[in-house]
Amino acid sequence: MQVDEKPIRVIVFNGKQQDWPVWEAKFLARAKKKGYKNLLVGSDIAPPDGEIIDERTEEGREKKRLREMNEAAYEDLILSIDGSTASSRVAFNLVRLAKTRDLADGDAKLAWARLQNKYATKSAPSLLALKKEFTNSKLASKRDDPDIWITNLEDIRMRIEGQGSKIDDTDFMIHILNNLPREYEVSQAKLEDRLNDDIDPLTIEEIRTNFGAECAELIFHATDT
């Protein structure tokens, strides 16, 4: 009898630092669902290979589970690294070589720590670079999609907060309103009046929806003439 094997689905990391935050969030979400997130972040510890586990006890069954979770996590990390480019081979080797005397076939926690140390830098230059990128980001043309631009700004904002700094909602919305093409001046002025309105305060999603609709209208009229 033929046994149908389910395809192994992985979330691929290409080894590029700018793509790490998105991949990290996706992988941790999957790790939580599969039950090994705590092991990756160090809350749980897998028992060493040489430890004899008594599965008749509750403690033994838990250690067996952690051992299996470590194997699953390490396997998913290995399979998730695209080793076809020079940058991705660096990431692959960080995982491949994450083996210890206690966990000779792979230590998922060590592999995850090595990836974070390589790609999730928390140095001051990185924070300064992110803030500079945020400050210099603008919607250059009326033909550019404001939704994509705002989403990119939100990603930069999230990465800045990951470095221990913060951009509050008001400052975030001010940056958006101050960095639009002149074609948005009329609606921009209307929205600015509501920035500090206690009764009907402006929201980021409202800005996104408003300028998304206006962009579509501007493009329509541009192609219609």
Side-chain angles (χ1 to χ4, degrees), residues 170-183:
T170 300
D171 287 339
F172 187 79
M173 290 187 286
I174 289 173
H175 179 87
I176 293 173
L177 295 174
N178 281 341
N179 288 279
L180 294 164
R182 60 180 177 81
E183 288 83 2

Side-chain angles (χ1 to χ4, degrees), residues 27-46 62 65-67 69-70 73 77 107-110 112-113 116:
F27 194 89
L28 285 176
R30 179 175 179 174
K32 182 177 180 179
K33 183 176 182 179
K34 297 187 73 173
Y36 56 68
K37 180 181 177 180
N38 287 343
L39 193 143
L40 286 181
V41 301
S43 302
D44 292 334
I45 305 295
E62 174 61 11
R65 184 190 72 82
L66 291 174
R67 179 173 285 171
M69 286 295 98
N70 176 70
L77 283 170
D107 185 333
K109 177 179 177 294
L110 176 59
W112 185 254
Q116 284 196 312

Side-chain angles (χ1 to χ4, degrees), residues 170 174 191-202:
T170 300
I174 289 173
L191 294 175
E192 281 180 354
D193 291 339
R194 292 177 47 213
L195 270 173
N196 297 312
D197 192 325
D198 294 331
I199 299 174
D200 185 24
L202 186 63

Side-chain angles (χ1 to χ4, degrees), residues 1 12 18 24 38 58 67 90 98 113 115 127 139 148 150 154 160 172-173 177 213 223:
M1 182 179 68
V12 178
Q18 66 266 29
E24 178 189 30
N38 287 343
E58 184 176 345
R67 179 173 285 171
V90 172
L115 289 172
L127 176 59
L139 190 66
I148 294 175
I150 293 171
E154 287 176 329
I160 287 173
F172 187 79
M173 290 187 286
L177 295 174
T223 55

Side-chain angles (χ1 to χ4, degrees), residues 17 120-133 159-160 162-165:
Q17 188 157 15
T121 58
K122 296 179 175 60
S123 61
S126 178
L127 176 59
L128 291 175
L130 286 170
K131 287 196 171 184
K132 182 178 180 180
E133 183 181 358
R159 290 156 62 193
I160 287 173
Q163 301 286 352
S165 189

